[in-house]
Amino acid sequence: MENLHPALASVDVLGAPLTASSRVIVILHGVGGNDDKLGAFAQRAIGRDASVTILAPRSAFKIWFEGDLGAPPSPTAPDLLRALGAVEWLVRQALEA
């Protein structure tokens, strides 16, 4: 993918090429998660299905949003809005492909 959203460092594209897939999975790591393991996890989950593309974005800021694990983030927090914008951008890219 070219011209990434500013909140994304990169997007790993696994499985079928995006233009050839009939289904797309966007997979995000959770708080404290390791995005390096997400692609392998998703590929194990779908098996050998050649019609699926997995998109595993990496945040340009190493986290999706700041916050306390015990409380949900404010729905207007700038970092959460930035992360949601990046995911929306990625879904639009998949739909356009």
Side-chain angles (χ1 to χ4, degrees), residues 17 22-23 29 34 43-44 54 56-57 63 97:
S22 61
R23 294 179 289 156
H29 64 81
N34 183 340
Q43 285 189 308
R44 282 193 312 272
I54 301 164
I63 59 171

Side-chain angles (χ1 to χ4, degrees), residues 13-73:
V13 181
L14 307 158
L18 192 54
T19 56
S21 65
S22 61
R23 294 179 289 156
V24 175
I25 297 171
V26 177
I27 188 166
L28 305 171
H29 64 81
V31 176
N34 183 340
D35 55 358
D36 292 336
K37 295 180 182 179
L38 282 179
F41 171 78
Q43 285 189 308
R44 282 193 312 272
I46 64 167
R48 297 180 187 265
D49 190 336
S51 67
V52 179
T53 300
I54 301 164
L55 301 176
R58 295 174 190 253
S59 170
F61 306 98
K62 306 289 185 204
I63 59 171
W64 292 109
F65 58 87
E66 296 285 342
D68 179 358
L69 291 176

Side-chain angles (χ1 to χ4, degrees), residues 1-11 85-86 89-90 93 96:
M1 292 190 164
E2 296 179 24
N3 302 319
L4 286 177
H5 186 279
L8 297 176
S10 64
V11 177
W89 175 88
L90 188 58
Q93 296 300 306
E96 289 175 10

